Amino acid sequence: MADTSIPAGYGPDSELDYEGPDPVWLQLTAVMIARIERGDYPVNRPIPSIAGLVQEFGLARGTVRKTTAHLADLGYVRIVNGKGSFVLPRD
């Protein structure tokens, strides 16, 4: 099974390293977690849409979907079909 641990060293304003050793979707996950923890996306509010993140980072839709699903698996967002992904409260 592939390593899905969040790579260190990525902050909310980090650029993705498309040629680096960490998978891009995990880099994006780290950036999104940092943004959520910084408060860029408030609790119970949506994170940017898949289309918005595709445009911002220049990634494929599937890559962004994988990131969003991983954020949900980690308990950072709740995906609501047809509405978006909403930030969950952190304990």
Side-chain angles (χ1 to χ4, degrees):
M1 183 167 174
D3 182 17
T4 58
S5 57
I6 304 303
Y10 293 96
D13 301 314
S14 293
E15 300 258 337
L16 302 183
D17 182 359
Y18 300 99
E19 303 298 323
D22 298 313
V24 177
W25 71 272
L26 280 176
Q27 293 177 48
L28 181 56
T29 301
V31 169
M32 295 302 292
I33 288 171
R35 288 179 178 184
I36 290 168
E37 290 177 347
R38 183 170 73 178
D40 292 2
Y41 312 127
V43 172
N44 296 322
R45 304 298 286 177
I47 63 172
S49 67
I50 289 174
L53 292 172
V54 163
Q55 183 173 6
E56 179 179 353
F57 290 98
L59 299 171
R61 290 179 67 81
T63 302
V64 175
R65 284 181 201 263
K66 190 169 185 177
T67 295
T68 305
H70 196 52
L71 287 169
D73 290 344
L74 295 172
Y76 282 91
V77 300
R78 174 178 47 93
I79 298 171
V80 179
N81 288 334
K83 298 211 182 255
S85 299
F86 295 81
V87 177
L88 292 172
R90 302 291 297 168
D91 293 330

